[in-house]
Amino acid sequence: MSQTPRPVPFVDLGLQHQKIRHACNKRIAGLIEASAFVGGQEVSDFADRFSEKLGTRHCIPVGNGTDALYIALKMMDIGPGDEVITAANSWISSAEVITRTGAKPVFADVDPGHYCIDPDDLERKRTSRTRAVIPVHLFGQMADMERIMPWARKHGILVLEDSAQAHFSSLNGKMAGTLGDAGAFSFYPSKNLGAFGDAGAIVTDNSELAERCARFANHGGIQKNEHLFDGMNSRMDAIQAAVLNIKLEHIDEWNTQRMEAAAFYSGSLSGLDQLIVPAIRNNTSHTFHLYVILTQDRHSLRQHLDERGIATALHYPTMLPLLPAYEHLQHVGSDFPVSLSLQDRILSLPMFPGITREQQLRVVKAVREFYE
Ligand SMILES: *Cc1c(COP(=O)(O)O)cnc(C)c1O
């Protein structure tokens, strides 16, 4: 009888933490000792380091990635009567923040090669009310910023990059989040750069926007008891910043491991006609937050892998316009043909820094076995 091999997890955060556990314990113990919990030195150090590493002037640490998007959009003065366009194929945060400002979310389809917002559909969706666009660097792949930026500048449209899945992805050496008017990051634990809880950040070169965001995230004031306008409470915890400061030392290595793992999958699977491996846009680096293949047999392949202890996931099983939350927009799937064709074919394979060649070989072998 053959032995059942150990399961291959979808992500393995524990593996990443082995290496930094000691440093994290020490730093967190220091914060408990000092009763330093919200804001403070760790948070301002992180803001400095993150913006320096990205090559942007300002970083405003906030409570999570959704707040980062919302605060930036709100401080760009987006509100009722405005339209903001985002990708039909994304996580709901990209759209719900638009609704929360009082503006109308407008969806554009994605392109079939890279699964990011399609500049041609952006132009079709533009109206006199379009004030901003939120391109999403989905799965770590850069959106087509070389076309989006000139288009946005020409029409006076603001660009907020949803960079929650693209820490240190780049286009011609310029990092995701630094090409538009502002960028929003999430440090949710499973993101490429993740905290030990919720955290997020806004980055921008615009000093006035940076100051407005910093105030809005802290009840309208930067100093205590200074409330220039109503804001909200969305601050980064010191513990999260400490973990992020430690992880920032490793992020390049971890991203490289993801890219190497992606290259191995693509090299080993590209011979199969029944599936499509992810493309990488020219002149960009794709940091593979997720490794997503396309296949007509998604449902049965997923089951086949599951039976062999290989965990997979779907990003995303229902495109945003078809979610109950956007029923009022009365979309049908055929409004977004590319997103529609993706949602039944996508399959995210195990991908995390430190995934072993042996684990990947098991995935590859099981996929090949399914088709042969
Ligand atoms: C994770 C994510 C967000 C939101 O980040 P949170 O920190 O979970 O609020 C926004 N957009 C995309 C594309 C994401 O993947």
Side-chain angles (χ1 to χ4, degrees), residues 15-61:
L15 187 69
Q16 185 180 75
H17 295 151
Q18 275 170 19
K19 202 168 176 171
I20 57 166
R21 174 172 296 139
H22 182 68
C24 290
N25 285 342
K26 218 169 120 188
R27 291 276 267 283
I28 293 170
L31 291 169
I32 296 170
E33 208 56 46
S35 294
F37 299 116
V38 180
Q41 194 63 45
E42 286 282 5
V43 177
S44 54
D45 284 353
F46 174 70
D48 292 345
R49 287 179 195 159
F50 191 59
S51 51
E52 194 191 320
K53 193 164 164 59
L54 284 173
T56 185
R57 286 175 63 195
H58 305 282
C59 168
I60 302 98

Side-chain angles (χ1 to χ4, degrees), residues 43-62 68 72 160-161 163 168 174-185 187 200-215 222 236:
V43 177
S44 54
D45 284 353
F46 174 70
D48 292 345
R49 287 179 195 159
F50 191 59
S51 51
E52 194 191 320
K53 193 164 164 59
L54 284 173
T56 185
R57 286 175 63 195
H58 305 282
C59 168
I60 302 98
V62 295
L160 170 58
E161 298 172 72
S163 309
F168 306 106
K174 282 210 76 181
M175 302 293 175
T178 72
L179 294 125
D181 295 284
F185 287 88
F187 307 114
I202 301 155
V203 301
T204 181
D205 281 336
N206 180 330
S207 305
E208 196 197 319
L209 178 64
E211 190 173 322
R212 278 165 57 79
C213 290
R215 283 187 201 283
I222 292 170
M236 190 185 281

Side-chain angles (χ1 to χ4, degrees), residues 63-69 90-94 96 136-139 162-165 184-188 191 198-200 289 316:
N64 57 69
T66 309
D67 282 358
L69 286 165
S90 183
W91 174 242
I92 191 165
S93 300
S94 317
E96 70 184 342
V136 184
H137 304 305
L138 197 71
F139 311 150
D162 183 339
S163 309
Q165 301 187 1
F185 287 88
S186 165
F187 307 114
Y188 182 75
K191 306 287 184 183
D198 279 313
H289 174 57
Y316 295 91

